[in-house]
Every structure is written in structure tokens, then in C-alpha cells.
């Protein structure tokens, strides 16, 4: 051990300690977001692009808010190894999504529309609004 660390008259520098990331500080690699409405949800996934290392692949599509459709979505997300799903909903329409996705073993988090819309860099239009949502999920 150097003298400065052992109290031998040198600089008073402590040995660095490693601090583990908390769950809430994690940056996710494989994420999904669902913009939930009454009869459907617009789903967006972002995963690493295997064909272009260092880049991401984003897909957006609509899923009806039925038990069978959300169950099919859950299977799809699990097959693509999605680590976390963020639901954005201004009302309580998110409930079927939460119950089915969580029952399928996925990690689900709920964000109100206000908190997601305040993410820096969020587009001001509704065109592909899920892209900023899923980017926010990566930082959640």
C-alpha cells in the first residue's frame, strides 16, 4: 500500500470503494414502452442492432387492448429478451397491460403522461411519441 494511503505523511487519500448501481439507476439495453389508450396501445421496442454493432433497432406497432393480444405481446417481448416495459397512460386503461405483462414475467413500470412528456429531448409532436418514451425507459 502506498505511504499516502497508509498515513505515512503523504496525501490524505482514501482507497476508492466500489458502489453498486441501484435498481433505479440502471440503464436498460432491451426496452419497450406502450402508449396506452382505451382500446389499444402503441408499442415501441429498442434493442441492440445485431447487424450494426453499437446501433439500436427500433420497432413501433399497435396492439389492441384485449387479453389475447396483450398476451401475444408479452410472449413477443419475452422472446426478444425485453428487460423492462414502461406503460404510459393518462387514465386507468393501463391495468390489463400491467397484469398480463407482469404475469408473463416481465418487469413493468408505470409512468403518467406528464412525467414522460417532460423528458428532455422529447419530440413536441405526437408522431411516434413512443420513441422518447422508450428512450426514457432506458434511463429509468
Amino acid at each position: 500500500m502506498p505511504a499516502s494511503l497508509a498515513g505515512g505523511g503523504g496525501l490524505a487519500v482514501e482507497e476508492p470503494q466500489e458502489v453498486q448501481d441501484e435498481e433505479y439507476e440502471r440503464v436498460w439495453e432491451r426496452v419497450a414502452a406502450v402508449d396506452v389508450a382505451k382500446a389499444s396501445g402503441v408499442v415501441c421496442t429498442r434493442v441492440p442492432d445485431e447487424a450494426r454493432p453499437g446501433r439500436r433497432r427500433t420497432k413501433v406497432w399497435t396492439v389492441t387492448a384485449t387479453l389475447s393480444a396483450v398476451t401475444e405481446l408479452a410472449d413477443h417481448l419475452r422472446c426478444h429478451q425485453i428487460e423492462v416495459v414502461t406503460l404510459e397512460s393518462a387514465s386507468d386503461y393501463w391495468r390489463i397491460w400491467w397484469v398480463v405483462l407482469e404475469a408473463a414475467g416481465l418487469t413493468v413500470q408505470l409512468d403518467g403522461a406528464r412525467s414522460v412528456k417532460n423528458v428532455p429531448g422529447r419530440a413536441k409532436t405526437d408522431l411516434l411519441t413512443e420513441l422518447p418514451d422508450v428512450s426514457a425507459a432506458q434511463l429509468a
Side-chain angles (χ1 to χ4, degrees), residues 3-61:
S4 63
L5 297 178
L11 296 175
V13 178
E14 293 182 8
E15 185 71 31
Q17 296 181 16
E18 185 173 335
V19 178
Q20 298 295 320
D21 287 344
E22 295 293 331
E23 185 74 21
Y24 64 87
E25 296 174 317
R26 185 183 257 179
V27 176
W28 305 97
E29 281 293 311
R30 307 177 76 80
V31 299
V34 183
D35 189 358
V36 177
K38 184 175 184 177
S40 65
V42 179
V43 179
C44 179
T45 59
R46 284 181 49 97
V47 298
D49 190 335
E50 295 171 9
R52 300 178 303 162
R55 305 286 306 252
R56 309 207 35 89
R57 183 170 36 99
T58 303
K59 293 186 177 182
V60 179
W61 70 100

Side-chain angles (χ1 to χ4, degrees), residues 34-42 62-65 88-97:
V34 183
D35 189 358
V36 177
K38 184 175 184 177
S40 65
V42 179
T62 301
V63 175
T64 58
E88 177 193 349
S89 181
S91 185
D92 64 351
Y93 302 130
W94 56 267
R95 292 177 187 205
I96 183 175
W97 301 86

Side-chain angles (χ1 to χ4, degrees), residues 63-83:
V63 175
T64 58
T66 63
L67 180 60
S68 61
V70 178
T71 300
E72 185 178 331
L73 172 65
D75 291 341
H76 175 82
L77 297 177
R78 277 197 352 247
C79 287
H80 285 87
Q81 301 171 338
I82 297 298
E83 298 170 286

